Amino acid sequence: MDLPLLWFLLIAVLWTGYLVLEGFDFGVGMLLKPFARDETERRMMLRTIGPVWDGNEVWLLTAGGATFAAFPEWYATMFSGFYLPLLLILLALIVRICALEWRGKINSPVWRNRADWAHTVGAWVPAVLWGVAFANLVQGMHIEVIDGNHQLTGGFFSLITPFTLLGGVTTAALFVTHGAVFLALKTDGELRVRAGLLAQRLSVVSLLVAAVWAVWAQLAFSANAFSWLPLVVAALALVGVVLATRAGREGWAFTLNAVAIAAAVALIFCVMFPNVMPSSLDPAWSLTIDGASSTQATLTVMTVIALIMVPVVLAYQGWTYWVFRQRLTASHIGPAEGLHPSNVRAFAAQDAQAQ
């Protein structure tokens, strides 16, 4: 196996790690406002993802950095063409982070309510837009070769088609199901029971939506027979999620949903192969793995660094999940903390007088 192909596969692995891990904390965030009944349940939901959400985002940074270093032309073409969707995703991620970090700073129901809405919206936006973006990679985009460079010439609205919109619905369904299963796995008491019932219903929805999108992708856009394999794996895993949620086996349901997301990423990369960005205008203008890759020297250095650093990252994340493996109950939630709003206003008045 040559180095460009190896890094094409490694980038697929990095995206798999990101979407599997960030998928459940997106899902918990998507359910925060519509599902939690009171402040105690909202704080329980937030504490299920509190110790791990920032570690999960390391995978996004690594996937983006690896794409930039290993396939600079892929990175440049994709980020210029997806400029607006990626900007919206970035803004949503920033809003979600601020909502998570600042929610407990002020002890006010109004402040917490606004933070929870910001968190919920900040989870739904990337959950949908990541699906739209990946569906565009499967469908192909308006790529032309101008002055020797690959350029996306279709504009923003060329990215929006029935297939790409269904891709967004598919990732949203998979992630919200992932979040419901994770809540059932990590909590106890009434919240666990309700999350388990919700996961039963959502698992059926995600199975149906993902099945339609995956078969559409395979029949309409794939020239590779081997891409049927991840499609079948994803289908079997999603059927397993439906059965496991009905049997109350949260661990199996979570594992199988993670397998389904991983198989979906594998399907996307298999459909694209041997391209990294197919052109819907002319196959000759597609950006291929070999055509977009860096030099052998760059890829060799990246491979050595990856062999050293990836085990460290995996060990750290494994340790984090092990330390915080305990289920949460309402008894773990103490009284609300943070500054009282009157103290915040007093501090602001003091600062104004000092100036």
Side-chain angles (χ1 to χ4, degrees):
M1 180 185 298
D2 60 10
L3 288 177
L5 179 58
L6 173 64
W7 274 98
F8 178 75
L9 296 175
L10 288 177
I11 287 172
V13 171
L14 292 171
W15 278 110
T16 299
Y18 171 66
L19 296 175
V20 167
L21 296 177
E22 189 88 302
F24 71 76
D25 63 49
F26 278 152
V28 172
M30 293 160 78
L31 293 170
L32 184 62
K33 279 304 292 183
F35 183 67
R37 287 178 173 171
D38 54 34
E39 173 63 14
T40 300
E41 287 193 352
R42 277 187 284 277
R43 292 180 64 193
M44 286 176 67
M45 292 173 68
L46 290 171
R47 286 187 61 174
T48 60
I49 61 174
V52 297
W53 70 267
D54 47 357
N56 295 343
E57 295 204 337
V58 170
W59 290 83
L60 173 61
L61 299 176
T62 309
T67 305
F68 171 75
F71 299 98
E73 192 166 356
W74 182 11
Y75 182 92
T77 308
M78 182 168 61
F79 276 71
S80 61
F82 287 157
Y83 180 78
L84 184 56
L86 292 178
L87 177 63
L88 291 174
I89 289 173
L90 179 61
L91 290 175
L93 292 177
I94 293 172
V95 167
R96 191 177 71 110
I97 291 168
C98 292
L100 270 164
E101 294 292 337
W102 294 351
R103 183 184 192 277
K105 302 298 183 187
I106 299 177
N107 190 4
S108 162
V110 175
W111 174 265
R112 288 195 291 265
N113 185 54
R114 291 173 180 170
D116 293 341
W117 273 115
H119 186 168
T120 301
V121 173
W124 273 95
V125 169
V128 173
L129 290 184
W130 280 129
V132 173
F134 278 109
N136 269 284
L137 293 177
V138 170
Q139 173 188 261
M141 288 163 287
H142 292 205
I143 297 176
E144 297 181 51
V145 177
I146 301 175
D147 297 331
N149 297 314
H150 290 82
Q151 296 184 17
L152 276 170
T153 58
F156 172 74
F157 290 103
S158 70
L159 305 177
I160 302 173
T161 67
F163 177 75
T164 60
L165 292 176
L166 184 60
V169 174
T170 300
T171 49
L174 288 172
F175 292 164
V176 76
T177 304
H178 213 30
V181 173
F182 185 71
L183 283 177
L185 181 66
K186 288 292 294 178
T187 60
D188 213 341
E190 184 184 351
L191 184 59
R192 176 188 178 184
V193 174
R194 290 176 46 234
L197 292 173
L198 180 64
Q200 289 181 24
R201 302 185 186 103
L202 290 174
S203 63
V204 176
V205 175
S206 63
L207 169 62
L208 296 176
V209 172
V212 173
W213 183 84
V215 172
W216 189 350
Q218 176 65 28
L219 295 179
F221 304 111
S222 179
N224 302 315
F226 55 77
S227 52
W228 279 104
L229 178 60
L231 191 155
V232 171
V233 171
L236 292 175
L238 288 174
V239 170
V241 176
V242 174
L243 298 175
T245 53
R246 274 156 176 69
R249 305 296 296 270
E250 295 104 346
W252 276 107
F254 185 78
T255 303
L256 289 169
N257 210 64
V259 170
I261 294 173
V265 177
L267 171 65
I268 292 166
F269 278 76
C270 285
V271 172
M272 288 196 299
F273 183 85
N275 303 311
V276 290
M277 291 189 76
S279 171
S280 60
L281 301 176
D282 185 342
W285 289 339
S286 297
L287 192 56
T288 64
I289 295 173
D290 290 333
S293 66
S294 290
T295 64
Q296 288 290 313
T298 301
L299 296 178
T300 301
V301 171
M302 289 178 63
T303 305
V304 173
I305 294 174
L307 288 173
I308 298 171
M309 296 306 298
V310 169
V312 176
V313 173
L314 292 176
Y316 164 75
Q317 287 214 295
W319 175 79
T320 304
Y321 280 93
W322 174 255
V323 169
F324 295 101
R325 66 188 183 282
Q326 186 181 14
R327 285 182 183 272
L328 285 167
T329 66
S331 63
H332 291 116
I333 306 300
E337 298 178 350
L339 287 172
H340 191 274
S342 61
N343 293 335
V344 176
R345 288 193 290 272
F347 290 145
Q350 290 173 7
D351 288 342
Q353 289 176 355
Q355 293 174 357

